[in-house]
Amino acid sequence: MALIQETDYGTPIRKSDAMVSLVIDGQAVTVPAGTSVMAAAMMMGTKIPKLCATDSLEPFGSCRLCLVEIEGRRGTPASCTTPVEADMVVHTQTSRLADLRRGVMELYISDHPLDCLTCSANGDCELQDMAGDVGLREIRYGYKGDNHLKAPIDTSNPYFTFEDSKCIVCSRCVRACEEVQGTFALTIQGRGFDSRVSPGGTDFFGSECVSCGACVQACPTATLNEKSVIELGKPEHSVITTCAYCGVGCSFKAEMKGNTVVRMVPYKDGKANEGHSCVKGRFAWGYATHKERITTPMIREKITDPWRIVSWEKAFEHAASEFKRIQTQYGRDSIGGITSSRCTNEETFLVQKLVRAGFGNNNVDTCARVCHSPTGYGLKTTLGTSAGTQDFASVSQADVIVVIGANPTDGHPVFASRMKRRLREEARLIVIDPRRIDLVKSPHVLADYHLQLLPGTNVALINALAHVVVTEGLVNEAYIRERCDPADFESWARFIAEDRHSPEAVERVTGVPAADMRAAARLYATGGNAAIYYGLGVTEHSQGSTMVMGMANLAMATGNLGRGGVGINPLRGQNNVQGSCDMGSFPHEFSGYRHVSDDATRHMFEALWNVPLRSDPGLRIPNMLDEAVEGRFKGLYIQGEDIAQSDPDTQHVTAGLESMECIVIQDIFLNETAKYAHVFLPGSSFLEKDGTFTNAERRINRVRKVMPPLAGMADWEVTIALSNALGYRMNYAHPSEIMDEISRLTPTFAGVSYEKLDLLGSIQWPCNEAAPLGTPTMHVDRFVRGKGKFMLTEFVPTEERTGPLFPLLLTTGRILTQYNVGAQTRRTENSRWHEEDVLEIHPFDAESRGIVAGDMVLLESRSGGITLRALISERMQPGVVYTTFHHAKTGANVVTTDYSDWATNCPEYKVTAVQVRRTNRLSDWQEMFLEEEQRLKRIETPLNAAE
């Protein structure tokens, strides 16, 4: 194996139907119009020296190293900023150019440390390469004059250093921060000899830098370099894999030395990220080898006992024996399983297969249900398929972008950078959110409208927008006639035109000015291609499914479906939320979203699995917990999920877990749920497994093993061994064989194979005979269900209401540097940016309660209370408070309720009535949490001796 070297064309490759022919160094070449001379030369294999140019950035023309001669033109223009012209004759190698380039390089090197042998970028430095390419052998200028050789080194960022003495002020880092990331954190400070790169006059850690790594990747010298490279040296081979954080699904080159990851480099050919990354995927992978990883199986009789290390065989034997005992004693339906949105498609498929075929019931659920199940229900009902309609690249064609209940800059930063690029090109923006997220106003981005609604009023607002479209004659009637069911549309149009749905009537409910709602609706309907992007602020409500259908109604009414730049696009939270749903992780559906009661589908699975399957839906997670509390549900297999921290109403969750007799946890750390477990099966990180993830745009990406599993078994192997111990035999030699079975059983995956994935790089389902290369845009000629179905979306206020005891509304969300429940990111340096969850509260609400910034406050609801630090913030409107849920010690879900979506049971995390007051003590729950943490630390576990 060797390092994967990607071609750098120097400037972006242009797309054009018009082609231009020219001659470079005597060789004819034809390229798309708009291509630079530099890129045209590279296309034919001729590398022109460069320093300030790279194909991820627009041409800049500052280094003067890429000079060429063009017949008929005076001077020596820069090839990066010179577009090709028909019949142009270019010379890239002449004696004149050689002299000029050596002179330029000599000036660069005259103010650069000559420590190549000990430099961290030795062998991976473009400046070093270019000095060799131009034949520089001596420097005529000494170091006696002014220079920058003693400039300080900034080591404040936990992941990379900034060594100013090696900076050549090529501006690549500054431009990457602007053009690729869109943060504008870096600038060139000073002029002439005093020019230097500056992160806003402070150090990198204290600056606006979001540590996405774009500047590090763009740097042609050792000025910006990963600390891991400085410590471990240059990597020697690489493997392409997929990030295991959010639903963007970025492709990376894991660059290795042996089995040690040196760095993760975003892969330019990754269709989801196109060479970009965020702080989590780029740098926060150290958790995979963290000292707290559990790499040996463990068992115990009672949860008050210490763990005992055992062999894999003993662990499987014990777990299988307990599950069999429970089913014999309490019945076949007394056990179940939970799949993970962090695991691969193949691993998730096996868990639901184990439950259905091995346990003999349909008691399988997934953490995806507690975030995006309303997406599946709402989109399948209206359009016919349970997923988003576009690929990420489609946003570049959008004229109007609507962001509803999502915070892309924190939750999906790589996609947010792509979106911000389009917004800087003058696309219009509507933000619908109770909180003033960064997109409302940030560098070079300003929302046209921020509809700052009250939590829980989404459906009322979407109905008001639709009311404007219908009553003001903005409906795309031709589209409706061709694509939608006319009777359904007429019924919906009459419903939505009622005065009670008007912005003026709805203003009292939502708190959004009627004029703003009317203007936003007109912009969406008439502004050109209009695309909706939404997140958990839509789905995690008691009317989550209704809201998804409401958005589909609005998109169909205006004809904003079925082409580039439009659509309804869920921003999935975890890396494989889409995949875990696709694989049949719900108690009522097989893979491909087909109901278990459908005889033809069920018989197909039975024939391949050689076992009869149940036709009645099983239990969802809340039902399992309810049944456990009632004494009827006693066993649970949980793969890669921490429901004690992530699910709502924590005290009810833990009561259910405490009532069970055998909980089997499969994970990489002893999480909060593991406190209630009886068997612990070590899991594997994404770096230790083969498989696939499916991202938010339905893109199936390969996950490739870069190191052996630390515990000796990958997750898919563990599930197989457990199933075999139970008596239901599974026989797979490699995850590719599991995917082959998935493709045989799942129509949307019918054309998917590892061979095709390796050939194409990635595939967006549906992939079948009708679309052998996949489907970037859904519903192009017709909806999957045939005619689009308009649904009546009656606004029903949530049962969770404010009152004298609980006058405020709590809503929750995520932050850039931490991920989900923090099991991974809290074990990395990312915690330096977000050490604890805080409560954002408006100055009015804080002042009326005597709260100042930094005070400890008690956040109480009808379910319970927690203590956390107050952050005074005008991001929130009066009457609404906000917190994240990344730290276990916070216990944010202690206060959330058990209200849920009417159709899918997706919890209503986003609306909780609360009170906030100053305090000087921890909540009762947090006191119990800390006591349990101390108790666990006192338990001596023989970690170095196997039974």
Side-chain angles (χ1 to χ4, degrees):
M1 293 186 291
L3 282 173
I4 297 169
Q5 301 293 344
E6 298 178 84
T7 300
D8 186 347
Y9 292 91
T11 62
I13 301 300
R14 306 303 184 188
K15 295 180 180 179
S16 175
D17 294 332
M19 303 299 288
V20 175
S21 296
L22 67 158
V23 175
I24 300 177
D25 293 339
Q27 183 176 339
V29 61
T30 301
V31 298
T35 302
S36 70
V37 169
M38 174 182 284
M42 196 63 198
M43 286 179 183
M44 54 178 271
T46 298
K47 182 179 179 182
I48 298 175
K50 61 180 176 61
L51 281 173
C52 73
T54 184
D55 60 14
S56 63
L57 305 173
E58 291 299 316
F60 195 57
S62 71
C63 74
R64 313 309 298 170
L65 198 63
C66 69
L67 307 175
V68 294
E69 292 182 356
I70 301 175
E71 291 185 10
R73 290 196 187 183
R74 298 175 58 187
T76 52
S79 62
C80 66
T81 56
T82 304
V84 297
E85 294 179 6
D87 302 322
M88 179 183 278
V89 178
V90 179
H91 300 282
T92 70
Q93 303 295 332
T94 68
S95 58
R96 178 190 182 196
L97 292 172
D99 289 341
L100 289 170
R101 289 169 181 163
R102 276 194 296 271
V104 170
M105 279 301 303
E106 195 174 2
L107 290 171
Y108 276 116
I109 299 301
S110 69
D111 191 15
H112 194 84
L114 298 180
D115 59 353
C116 289
L117 289 180
T118 57
C119 177
S120 62
N122 185 22
D124 189 23
C125 173
E126 292 182 47
L127 185 69
Q128 188 182 59
D129 294 342
M130 291 304 106
D133 286 356
V134 304
L136 185 65
R137 298 293 177 262
E138 61 179 348
I139 308 297
R140 291 172 291 169
Y141 315 111
Y143 286 141
K144 293 182 180 180
D146 290 342
N147 58 56
H148 301 88
L149 300 182
K150 294 185 179 180
I153 300 175
D154 182 354
T155 62
S156 62
N157 188 284
Y159 295 118
F160 60 83
T161 62
F162 176 71
E163 199 165 349
D164 203 358
S165 66
K166 296 180 178 179
C167 180
I168 60 174
V169 200
C170 64
S171 294
R172 274 166 60 164
C173 59
V174 176
R175 291 150 54 212
C177 191
E178 295 175 0
E179 297 175 23
V180 179
Q181 170 57 29
T183 296
F184 296 83
L186 303 180
T187 187
I188 300 295
Q189 192 175 65
R191 303 184 64 181
F193 178 80
D194 294 326
S195 298
R196 61 183 297 269
V197 172
S198 172
T202 182
D203 61 21
F204 268 83
F205 186 77
S207 73
E208 296 295 317
C209 170
V210 294
S211 298
C212 69
C215 60
V216 180
Q217 187 155 351
C219 182
T221 69
T223 307
L224 287 157
N225 207 0
E226 294 96 334
K227 290 182 176 179
S228 57
V229 174
I230 295 171
E231 177 186 354
L232 299 171
K234 182 182 175 182
E236 41 83 11
H237 75 274
S238 49
V239 179
I240 297 170
T241 191
T242 303
C243 178
Y245 278 114
C246 78
V248 173
C250 295
S251 297
F252 279 87
K253 294 184 294 183
E255 297 196 339
M256 315 286 296
K257 292 186 80 169
N259 291 330
T260 300
V261 178
V262 176
R263 63 183 172 191
M264 298 289 285
V265 179
Y267 187 45
K268 288 200 307 185
D269 283 343
K271 300 300 189 297
N273 59 319
E274 296 181 341
H276 191 34
S277 59
C278 79
V279 61
K280 295 189 285 289
R282 183 72 156 89
F283 298 116
W285 37 266
Y287 71 88
T289 54
H290 194 273
K291 63 182 180 180
E292 293 179 5
R293 275 287 300 269
I294 304 298
T295 58
T296 52
M298 301 186 296
I299 64 174
R300 58 184 175 180
E301 299 303 320
K302 301 189 297 293
I303 63 173
T304 53
D305 294 340
W307 286 105
R308 291 188 294 119
I309 288 180
V310 296
S311 66
W312 278 109
E313 292 75 15
K314 178 67 174 178
F316 294 134
E317 176 188 334
H318 180 75
S321 174
E322 282 294 283
F323 282 154
K324 289 177 182 178
R325 176 189 65 79
I326 289 171
Q327 286 191 302
T328 299
Q329 184 174 350
Y330 298 99
R332 185 167 55 172
D333 293 330
S334 59
I335 64 173
I338 299 176
T339 73
S340 174
S341 293
R342 291 186 293 160
C343 292
T344 65
N345 287 317
E346 294 77 4
E347 291 159 351
T348 301
F349 184 82
L350 289 189
V351 172
Q352 64 88 33
K353 180 178 181 178
L354 167 64
V355 172
R356 300 187 199 281
F359 291 178
N361 60 48
N362 287 317
N363 294 339
V364 62
D365 203 359
T366 174
C367 58
R369 189 190 48 76
V370 304
C371 57
H372 265 285
S373 51
T375 287
Y377 184 90
L379 293 183
K380 186 174 183 179
T381 301
T382 52
L383 309 181
T385 191
S386 303
T389 60
Q390 318 291 128
D391 61 0
F392 289 143
S394 174
V395 76
S396 66
Q397 302 173 61
D399 302 305
V400 178
I401 297 171
V402 184
V403 177
I404 307 180
N407 187 5
T409 55
D410 279 16
H412 305 84
V414 171
F415 171 72
S417 296
R418 192 192 290 259
M419 178 186 288
K420 288 191 290 184
R421 196 153 58 237
R422 178 58 183 151
L423 292 170
R424 294 196 300 273
E425 297 168 349
E426 299 185 345
R428 310 287 294 278
L429 175 63
I430 301 167
V431 174
I432 303 174
D433 201 288
R435 186 167 174 259
R436 196 188 71 231
I437 62 173
D438 287 344
L439 281 177
V440 173
K441 185 178 182 181
S442 58
H444 300 271
V445 171
L446 179 64
D448 293 83
Y449 301 99
H450 176 204
L451 308 184
Q452 194 170 18
L453 76 173
L454 287 170
T457 63
N458 287 347
V459 172
L461 188 139
I462 203 73
N463 284 346
L465 300 182
H467 177 92
V468 175
V469 170
V470 170
T471 59
E472 295 189 6
L474 304 179
V475 170
N476 188 329
E477 294 182 1
Y479 186 91
I480 298 297
R481 283 194 300 271
E482 179 185 355
R483 302 288 301 275
C484 301
D485 185 291
D488 287 339
F489 171 72
E490 291 297 332
S491 175
W492 173 78
R494 287 193 300 271
F495 162 80
I496 212 70
E498 295 175 13
D499 287 343
R500 63 195 178 98
H501 298 308
S502 70
E504 289 72 22
V506 167
E507 179 177 346
R508 297 188 297 273
V509 175
T510 64
V512 178
D516 288 350
M517 285 188 274
R518 287 194 175 275
R522 292 165 185 155
L523 176 59
Y524 176 80
T526 65
N529 288 337
I532 294 173
Y533 295 91
Y534 70 93
L536 303 183
V538 161
T539 56
E540 291 180 343
H541 285 273
S542 60
Q543 283 201 285
S545 294
T546 310
M547 180 60 179
V548 173
M549 292 187 288
M551 295 186 298
N553 290 340
L554 185 63
M556 287 189 290
T558 55
N560 280 304
L561 285 163
R563 63 182 186 278
V566 297
I568 305 170
N569 307 283
L571 297 176
R572 304 281 191 169
Q574 296 189 68
N575 55 300
N576 204 34
V577 165
Q578 182 67 60
S580 66
C581 298
D582 298 339
M583 293 299 101
S585 294
F586 295 127
H588 63 291
E589 289 178 333
F590 291 117
S591 62
Y593 306 96
R594 291 159 298 163
H595 203 278
V596 294
S597 64
D598 180 77
D599 291 340
T601 299
R602 194 175 63 260
H603 295 335
M604 181 173 59
F605 278 80
E606 288 174 335
L608 192 59
W609 291 357
N610 296 311
V611 65
L613 300 175
R614 296 273 289 274
S615 61
D616 55 319
L619 301 175
R620 294 169 174 168
I621 294 172
N623 308 129
M624 296 181 198
L625 296 170
D626 290 342
E627 291 287 293
V629 171
E630 295 297 324
R632 293 186 293 268
F633 190 88
K634 292 295 185 178
L636 188 58
Y637 169 42
I638 306 176
Q639 183 192 65
E641 183 59 22
D642 189 3
I643 62 172
Q645 188 179 347
S646 64
D647 281 34
D649 196 353
T650 299
Q651 297 184 69
H652 179 63
V653 173
T654 56
L657 294 173
E658 286 178 330
S659 300
M660 297 188 204
E661 296 181 6
C662 182
I663 294 177
V664 178
I665 296 289
Q666 183 178 340
D667 217 309
I668 60 177
F669 298 111
L670 280 171
N671 56 30
E672 297 308 304
T673 308
K675 293 177 180 178
Y676 306 93
H678 306 84
V679 180
F680 189 92
L681 304 176
S684 52
S685 73
F686 78 109
L687 296 172
E688 302 156 57
K689 62 178 70 174
D690 285 296
T692 57
F693 294 149
T694 306
N695 75 350
E697 52 174 356
R698 295 171 283 103
R699 186 179 302 282
I700 307 163
N701 272 317
R702 281 281 279 116
V703 181
R704 295 180 177 88
K705 183 167 63 177
V706 306
M707 64 173 71
L710 297 188
M713 298 181 74
D715 287 333
W716 63 277
E717 295 173 305
V718 172
T719 302
I720 289 172
L722 178 58
S723 183
N724 292 344
L726 281 163
Y728 180 73
R729 301 295 301 177
M730 293 187 190
N731 297 291
Y732 305 95
H734 189 268
S736 60
E737 297 178 2
I738 307 172
M739 178 54 73
D740 291 341
E741 182 172 313
I742 293 168
S743 67
R744 287 197 295 273
L745 291 170
T746 314
T748 49
F749 278 66
V752 178
S753 67
Y754 278 28
E755 182 180 10
K756 184 179 287 189
L757 286 168
D758 290 340
L759 177 65
L760 300 179
S762 64
I763 299 170
Q764 288 177 266
W765 67 258
C767 177
N768 45 36
E769 287 186 6
L773 302 181
T775 311
T777 301
M778 297 286 287
H779 317 297
V780 173
D781 299 316
R782 61 189 296 274
F783 291 111
V784 170
R785 71 180 309 277
K787 294 290 188 179
K789 184 175 181 62
F790 283 84
M791 296 294 295
L792 302 189
T793 51
E794 190 71 58
F795 170 59
V796 179
T798 174
E799 294 182 41
E800 179 71 352
R801 308 289 177 85
T802 57
L805 293 179
F806 303 103
L808 303 174
L809 285 175
L810 168 71
T811 191
T812 61
R814 292 173 175 166
I815 200 164
L816 171 65
T817 53
Q818 295 286 4
Y819 171 72
N820 208 35
V821 297
Q824 294 150 261
T825 45
R826 281 189 282 108
R827 291 175 170 91
T828 71
E829 291 293 324
N830 278 28
S831 288
R832 285 187 53 189
W833 286 284
H834 188 74
E835 296 177 349
E836 61 180 349
D837 294 316
V838 297
L839 184 76
E840 289 188 21
I841 184 170
H842 189 273
F844 175 82
D845 293 322
E847 184 178 2
S848 64
R849 290 163 174 77
I851 296 169
V852 298
D855 276 354
M856 296 303 295
V857 296
L858 179 64
L859 176 69
E860 280 187 302
S861 74
R862 296 177 179 91
S863 297
I866 59 172
T867 300
L868 63 173
R869 200 173 304 278
L871 174 66
I872 312 301
S873 171
E874 293 190 358
R875 284 177 175 258
M876 307 309 302
Q877 56 190 299
V880 182
V881 294
Y882 168 90
T883 189
T884 50
F885 48 84
H886 301 303
H887 291 268
K889 65 182 179 182
T890 303
N893 283 318
V894 169
V895 300
T896 54
T897 69
D898 60 359
Y899 293 122
S900 62
D901 174 53
W902 62 270
T904 65
N905 267 153
C906 182
E908 190 170 47
Y909 290 111
K910 304 305 181 188
V911 188
T912 306
V914 296
Q915 178 60 286
V916 178
R917 64 173 185 267
R918 292 179 62 192
T919 186
N920 58 5
R921 61 180 293 272
L922 295 177
S923 68
D924 292 340
W925 182 89
Q926 286 164 316
E927 292 279 8
M928 290 170 54
F929 174 85
L930 291 178
E931 288 176 7
E932 178 67 8
E933 288 290 289
Q934 292 301 315
R935 186 188 72 80
L936 291 174
K937 288 179 181 179
R938 289 193 297 268
I939 294 176
E940 294 183 2
T941 303
L943 294 178
N944 297 315
E947 180 174 297

